Amino acid sequence: MTLTFRLSWPLLRVLRSVMSGMSASRGTPQRESPPPINELYHARRLSLVRLAVLMVDDLPTAEDVVQDVFAGLYQRHGADLRTVADPQAYLTAGVMNAARSVLRRRRSARAYVPPPPPLVPAAEEEALLSEGDHEVVAALARLTVRQRQVVVLRYWSELSEQEIAEVLHVSRGTVKSTANRALTILRDALSEVRR
């Protein structure tokens, strides 16, 4: 005895599509292959650019990020993308990582502080200084910052040892010993120049 039953056309179409997707050898449905990269590009580019804009807050940079991710995907896997399990997840992760890299580079660029330009005396100062003054300025450059502070405050500003100690927040003995060492260095430097 043979059973016969009538199937509607929509159901027949569905069954045919399922049957055509079955592998003849195993009877298992074949997995759909990922879309080619250009179809994927047209389908996902705008949503990925929107995602990148939210991350980097700059449309041209966001477009560059998305373009670089698609170029990297094409370089690694070719145009058919059969070796990528989930190309859309791959692209989303790639855009997020590239956007983070852009933000890191921006943060590094903002954190960089160029070194200050070297101090150059004005032309008038150079013209007004005698040869002996140039020697003293060169000898002062050999002193440490603390020694220079003590010498300038003592001999230029004419402050007492106690006043210098209060200004520099050190003891009076430190001021005396620092001044003594500084004067010794200055004497040695000036005597070398005059030889």
Side-chain angles (χ1 to χ4, degrees), residues 80-98:
D80 61 0
L81 305 177
R82 290 175 197 234
T83 58
V84 182
D86 188 0
Q88 294 186 14
Y90 181 96
L91 289 171
T92 303
V95 167
M96 293 296 289
N97 291 335

Side-chain angles (χ1 to χ4, degrees), residues 3-185:
L3 290 174
T4 59
F5 52 91
R6 298 180 66 100
L7 297 175
S8 65
W9 280 107
L11 184 58
L12 280 174
R13 273 191 236 134
V14 170
L15 287 174
R16 280 190 189 132
S17 67
V18 169
M19 294 304 285
S20 66
M22 299 287 274
S23 169
S25 61
R26 294 193 184 142
T28 58
Q30 291 180 337
R31 201 175 82 178
E32 285 186 33
S33 63
I37 194 161
N38 42 336
E39 289 177 23
L40 185 62
Y41 178 79
H42 291 295
R44 293 281 293 151
R45 186 184 72 84
L46 287 178
S47 63
L48 291 172
V49 168
R50 287 185 194 115
L51 174 66
V53 165
L54 290 174
M55 292 289 293
V56 298
D57 198 29
D58 177 20
L59 180 61
T61 305
E63 289 173 340
D64 288 345
V65 163
V66 171
Q67 192 69 25
D68 290 345
V69 170
F70 270 103
L73 177 66
Y74 180 76
Q75 262 184 332
R76 285 186 192 91
H77 301 287
D80 61 0
L81 305 177
R82 290 175 197 234
T83 58
V84 182
D86 188 0
Q88 294 186 14
Y90 181 96
L91 289 171
T92 303
V95 167
M96 293 296 289
N97 291 335
R100 285 188 199 106
S101 295
V102 166
L103 294 175
R104 274 193 300 275
R105 282 191 299 273
R106 282 183 187 170
R107 186 173 52 242
S108 297
R110 280 192 299 261
Y112 173 72
V113 177
L119 295 176
V120 178
E124 300 86 24
E125 290 178 23
E126 289 292 318
L128 294 175
L129 290 176
S130 67
E131 185 177 333
D133 294 335
H134 285 289
E135 293 169 358
V136 171
V137 170
L140 280 171
R142 292 185 176 185
L143 300 178
T144 65
V145 174
R146 173 62 56 86
Q147 289 171 341
R148 232 175 296 142
Q149 290 171 341
V150 169
V151 168
V152 169
L153 290 173
R154 179 73 179 106
Y155 298 102
W156 180 260
S157 299
E158 297 179 351
L159 296 180
S160 68
E161 290 173 352
Q162 185 60 41
E163 290 170 328
I164 295 171
E166 290 172 6
V167 168
L168 298 179
H169 304 292
V170 295
S171 69
R172 189 169 174 220
T174 302
V175 171
K176 287 174 87 170
S177 64
T178 304
N180 187 24
R181 274 188 240 115
L183 289 176
T184 303
I185 293 170

